[in-house]
Amino acid sequence: PWSCELMNRGILALVSSIGCMSAGSLQSLADAMHIPHLFIQRAPAGTPRSSCPSTSHPQPDDYTLFVRPPVYLNDVIFQVVMEYTWQKFIIFYDTDYDIRGIENFLDQTSQQGMDVSLQKVESNINMMITGMFRTMRVEELHRYRDTLRRAVLFMSPATAKAFITEVVETNLVAFDCHWIIINEEISDMDVQELVMKSIGRLTLVRQTFPLSQNSSQRCVRSNHRINTSLCDPKDPKAQMLEITNRYIYDTVLLLANTFHRKLEDRKWHSMASLSCIRKGSKPWQGGKSMLDTVKKGGVSGLTSLLEFNDNGTNPNIYFEILGTNYGEDRGRGVSRLGTWDPIHGLNGTLTDRKLENNMRGVVLRVVTVLEEPFVMVSENVLGKPKKYQGFSIDVLDALANYLGFKYEIYVAPDHKYGSQQADGTWNGLIGELVFKRADVGLSALTITPDRESVVDFTTRYMDYSVGVLLRKAERTVDMFACLAPFDLSLWACIAGTVLLVGTLVYLLNWLNPPRLPMGSVSSTTLYNSMWFVYGSFVQQGGEVPYTTLATRMMMGVWWLFALIVISSYTANLAAFLTISRIENSIQSLQDLAKQTDLPYGTVLDSAVYDQVRSKGMNPFERDPMYSQMWRMINRTGGAENNVEESKEGIRKVKYGRFAFVWDAAVLEYVAINDEDCSLYTVSNSVADRGYGIAMQHGSPYRDIFSQRILELQQNGDMDILKLKWWPRDSPCDLYSPVGTRKSGSALDIHSFAGVFFVLAAGVVLSCLIATVETWWTRRKGSRVPSKEDDKEIDLEHLHHRVNSLCTEDESPHKQFSTSSIDLTPLDMDSLPAARQALEQISDFRNTHITTTTFIPEQIQTLSRSLSAKAAAGFAFGTVQDHRTGGPFRQRAPNGGFFRSPIKTMSSIPYQPTPAPNFSYGNDPDRGTSI
């Protein structure tokens, strides 16, 4: 109505500073009446502008000129967010803002894969915040608090001040947050108040107007002078002046210049007196000329240069980007980060500045998974929070000490690292970060592409490789390890050789009996020959003398043979007791994949499991090792050889027949700290991944954590932390597949168990033989008294037997020497009634005495003449040769009746009887010894 009233009075141009809804009707009226319309868009209550739908596509023949430039807020904020590399943030807008103004921006962020949330800020902010605390659960508040770390505010400065004040006072944000406030209408005073009320980092985007570098020329224009209070940017009035009013000032100045030019050119048109109510009203004839004059003109005023292009829009607009650092200092400074204009774009570099060394007051919620030695429970006292230790905890403590933050740690509810489920959600540690229940994820967590698509990782703080944990080959307890140097067939040959040589020695002595010295008690029986050969073989000597050349030749060769055998046995035995042989050991992942006897597996749905599965099922994978491993791991759907937790896999290796595929660092720690050093590891030398600290997507801590980790690696502190959990001087050999003994260490009982067993068997066998002999002696009814330690014959009894033998003879008795009695030259078969006496003497053969008769070589002739002399003095009858016939045909080789072991030898004293004097009876070289 007021526009029609103005037309009735007569107008040259129409200037309006209204909203989009009223601007549409004025634009239609101006086009119909050919009245130049200079439109200055005004947003309600200082809210950021949104493009008016009716003026979004201006045409050259339109009579409406847009004094304020188009709305470029979408382009500016998108480029700022891209420079900050934000991936997730929330947009807050007040009730007066038209949300349709950021449709293009939302489309652009969606194309870039950004996660953007929207929330309307009610007019009563206090009630809105209170309602959230009343309706949200604790977990939801944690997620919401994390969402507020990155935010863009489309609201008036007054609403932004109130909203920032409320969220800061309710502790919904910490000083690690980063907010962007974008609005063309932000004055210097608004900037100072916003910085004072906020914490964290604050970025402000506002419209600015370039000023002349010369302060004396700021208020002087081409043909006019501006009031000093308006052109001086430090003047309070200039700071309080709204941008819309600045454009009104410049618009009036532009029209004044246009009218002045019309008058100078004498092309003045009378004012139009039009009626917008009458149907037949015609448009103003001079409207087109006035419109062209306005378009061609321009003015330099409070908004810098005001001019129009062919479409009737003002192209001159500049944005200023201001920002602060992170922190909670209310008095921190504001710096200019850059500028933006439609032609040149962003002029400056925007980066999400690191927190540097100041994270004091921040409390991080850390989720973890127990994994030795990265994270372990060090103290668990009832009623108190658990305390943790480990390599990852040491790294986190080093970061906390340097940056100044604190943390609360808890274990993931399902004790898993996390994998993507069928419905697209994540479980485990990664799920806690995705659902915003934790700020940081820390454990033996490997960096994988799938995980990095949903969370952020720091730089790796330790290299990662896949390894295998195996049990060392146990040293078999062989009771007869002492027999190991020689094969069983060789032992059989040696035993046969002993028997053969013993038999040959006996035969050689039987064919050519040796000449034994006077008084010798040795004999060359088969038993003694065997014993002598065995004694010489074991280097214990022998007691049977061999004097013949053939026998000595045989024994010389045998001793040489025994020397070589014993020396070879001794040398080989030392090697067998100190060296363990390695047979069928697994030395690499390829060896593990090629064999199928030893089952192996890993943790289900872990990074190792996914890696083997992806490469094993990839038909283009060049290395066939992964396909072989996947067939074993995926046997029966993965349930047979895989475990739920790493501890279960380690336990299966230690107490069963199993190989566990897992992180090499974890397996090395387990092998180092094994009590009996029974485990060893095999790992891949190429580290294609690493362990990292996981954070929420878009977390501000990633860069500062990564920088500090690099510093720890550069100055060697990270290596010191590693040596604490993986020492170099470990008592266990991590890479040997068998339990090796250190050089110079003592041999254990297992190495000589067989020797003790043979000794025990010999003792038992000896006792058994002694028992049988005792039983056999008693059964025969021996008359000789027996003692356990020493058995002696009753020599008086033997004395009477010999006397009775002599007295039974019919011939006169021979007077024997009192020192000895000679029975050897007598052929007892020829004596009457001598067989009975002989049998009585034979009873002594079952005793433990030795009766040896011998004929020295020098009196053999005298022995042969004994028969004739005895026949003259005794009625002996026909005397046979003592070497043929008779009961002495099986006599011992030395000519005696028999021989039994005895400790000592003693002569039998004999009392002489009246008898003819035999000269040979007094021969001192003859005798019978007992």
Side-chain angles (χ1 to χ4, degrees), residues 584-809:
N584 301 326
S585 60
I586 297 175
Q587 297 294 327
S588 63
L589 290 175
Q590 287 76 10
D591 295 341
L592 180 69
K594 291 178 182 178
Q595 61 85 37
T596 56
D597 296 334
L598 180 65
Y600 54 90
T602 184
V603 178
L604 279 172
D605 298 330
S606 62
V608 178
Y609 184 86
D610 294 338
Q611 180 183 3
V612 176
R613 177 180 58 185
S614 60
K615 291 189 176 182
M617 299 179 65
N618 185 6
F620 301 101
E621 178 63 35
R622 296 182 179 180
D623 193 353
M625 176 188 71
Y626 290 99
S627 60
Q628 296 170 350
M629 293 180 65
W630 175 243
R631 283 194 296 269
M632 173 65 74
I633 291 176
N634 195 41
R635 183 179 296 177
T636 66
E640 179 180 353
N641 293 331
N642 297 300
V643 295
E644 294 292 334
E645 295 182 2
S646 59
K647 291 183 178 180
E648 183 181 352
I650 296 171
R651 187 165 50 252
K652 288 182 66 175
V653 174
K654 189 170 181 62
Y655 300 105
R657 191 171 179 273
F658 185 73
F660 184 49
V661 182
W662 195 235
D663 298 0
V666 177
L667 300 181
E668 288 179 2
Y669 174 81
V670 172
I672 289 174
N673 293 272
D674 187 44
E675 294 181 355
D676 51 0
C677 295
S678 61
L679 305 175
Y680 77 100
T681 62
V682 173
S683 60
N684 187 5
S685 59
V686 179
D688 55 347
R689 297 182 183 180
Y691 297 99
I693 300 176
M695 298 180 179
Q696 296 178 9
H697 226 325
S699 175
Y701 310 121
R702 180 183 63 178
D703 294 336
I704 185 173
F705 274 42
S706 298
Q707 180 185 7
R708 180 55 184 163
I709 289 173
L710 293 175
E711 292 175 358
L712 292 174
Q713 293 174 343
Q714 185 175 3
N715 58 28
D717 292 341
M718 193 69 72
D719 295 332
I720 296 175
L721 296 178
K722 290 179 182 178
L723 290 177
K724 177 182 177 181
W725 301 101
W726 291 277
R728 296 176 181 175
D729 54 348
S730 171
C732 300
D733 190 352
L734 303 181
Y735 311 107
S736 176
V738 294
T740 57
R741 181 189 292 111
K742 293 183 178 180
S743 60
S745 59
L747 299 175
D748 52 14
I749 187 63
H750 301 299
S751 302
F752 284 91
V755 179
F756 289 98
F757 180 81
V758 171
L759 179 61
V763 171
V764 173
L765 185 60
S766 300
C767 295
L768 181 62
I769 293 176
T771 303
V772 173
E773 286 182 345
T774 303
W775 173 79
W776 178 259
T777 302
R778 291 180 180 178
R779 186 174 182 275
K780 295 293 291 183
S782 175
R783 301 178 183 177
V784 181
S786 171
K787 294 183 180 180
E788 188 170 333
D789 53 351
D790 192 6
K791 299 180 180 180
E792 297 180 354
I793 187 171
D794 189 351
L795 299 181
E796 187 65 23
H797 180 68
L798 179 61
H799 172 74
H800 289 295
R801 287 297 184 96
V802 176
N803 287 339
S804 63
L805 177 63
C806 295
T807 55
E808 288 179 0
D809 190 8

Side-chain angles (χ1 to χ4, degrees), residues 474-485:
E474 296 183 356
R475 304 182 68 195
T476 306
V477 179
D478 188 3
M479 294 296 294
F480 298 97
C482 58
L483 304 179

Side-chain angles (χ1 to χ4, degrees), residues 62 65 91 181 263 360 376 400 430 468 540 645 653 718:
D62 290 343
L65 301 178
I91 296 177
I181 302 176
L263 292 174
R360 292 185 303 272
M376 301 175 289
I430 301 297
V468 184
Q540 297 301 319
E645 295 182 2
V653 174
M718 193 69 72

